[in-house]
Amino acid sequence: MVVYNLVCPKKHSFEGWFPSFEDFQKQADRKLISCPTCGSTKIEKVPHACAVHVKKEQPPPPAKKPEPAPAAPPSPAEFKEMLIRVHHYIKENYEDVGSRFAEEARHIHHGKADERPIHGTATAQETKELAEEGVPFVTLPKPELDS
Ligand SMILES: [Zn+2]
């Protein structure tokens, strides 16, 4: 069953119920449909309102800039990954001076050796001395690599 809004040439509108669109078409062709007000058989189907007044798509609201998420401290796994990356970077770009780190760092600091990025190991005593002498260096925890 379909319901159509129908209109006659005099703009009388009325509803017509039909088993299907084909039936409506047939009845209209045979002038079996007449205006209940004036009797006109020149009936036209009014397009459904919803087809005429197509709801305009609302423009999407301006994208709100996402609030910067508060910097969460890295999880242990993330921290480890960061460390691994840093260590990898150092390995690639820094000269490995091994246990001579404190000595080399001091030489570089005092201009006795070529200034270059170095990495190596230092004892707690050595790092303490370097710090006291004002030799710039950073210590990094060694990531424990899963085998
Ligand atoms: Zn009419």
Side-chain angles (χ1 to χ4, degrees):
M1 195 62 114
V2 288
V3 184
Y4 291 125
N5 289 317
L6 305 172
V7 67
C8 79
K10 291 180 183 172
K11 305 288 178 200
H12 302 130
S13 60
F14 56 100
E15 266 185 6
W17 295 62
F18 306 92
S20 68
F21 172 74
E22 286 73 25
D23 283 281
F24 157 76
Q25 202 65 58
K26 253 185 261 174
Q27 291 186 36
D29 287 347
R30 292 175 191 172
K31 301 192 191 300
L32 296 176
I33 309 164
S34 60
C35 171
T37 308
C38 67
S40 171
T41 54
K42 283 192 168 180
I43 304 302
E44 279 180 57
K45 187 161 69 73
V46 177
H48 274 285
C50 67
V52 180
H53 305 284
V54 177
K55 205 174 178 188
K56 276 190 180 174
E57 287 279 322
Q58 291 278 339
K64 274 185 190 168
K65 278 188 178 176
E67 292 284 319
S75 69
E78 286 169 340
F79 186 66
K80 190 169 131 185
E81 204 194 302
M82 274 163 53
L83 273 183
I84 291 167
R85 246 184 277 150
V86 168
H87 275 267
H88 183 76
Y89 178 84
I90 288 171
K91 216 172 166 183
E92 293 286 303
N93 298 283
Y94 286 48
E95 186 186 329
D96 186 2
V97 295
S99 58
R100 291 185 299 110
F101 176 80
E103 192 188 329
E104 282 297 319
R106 197 174 281 122
H107 283 170
I108 291 167
H109 183 61
H110 295 294
K112 289 177 190 168
D114 289 337
E115 190 157 341
R116 64 200 192 279
I118 59 168
H119 78 101
T121 55
T123 63
Q125 180 61 34
E126 284 171 338
T127 56
K128 189 167 169 273
E129 284 169 8
L130 287 174
E132 281 168 4
E133 290 169 43
V135 179
F137 70 95
V138 291
T139 55
L140 290 168
K142 231 184 162 76
E144 283 177 33
L145 294 166
D146 296 323
S147 58

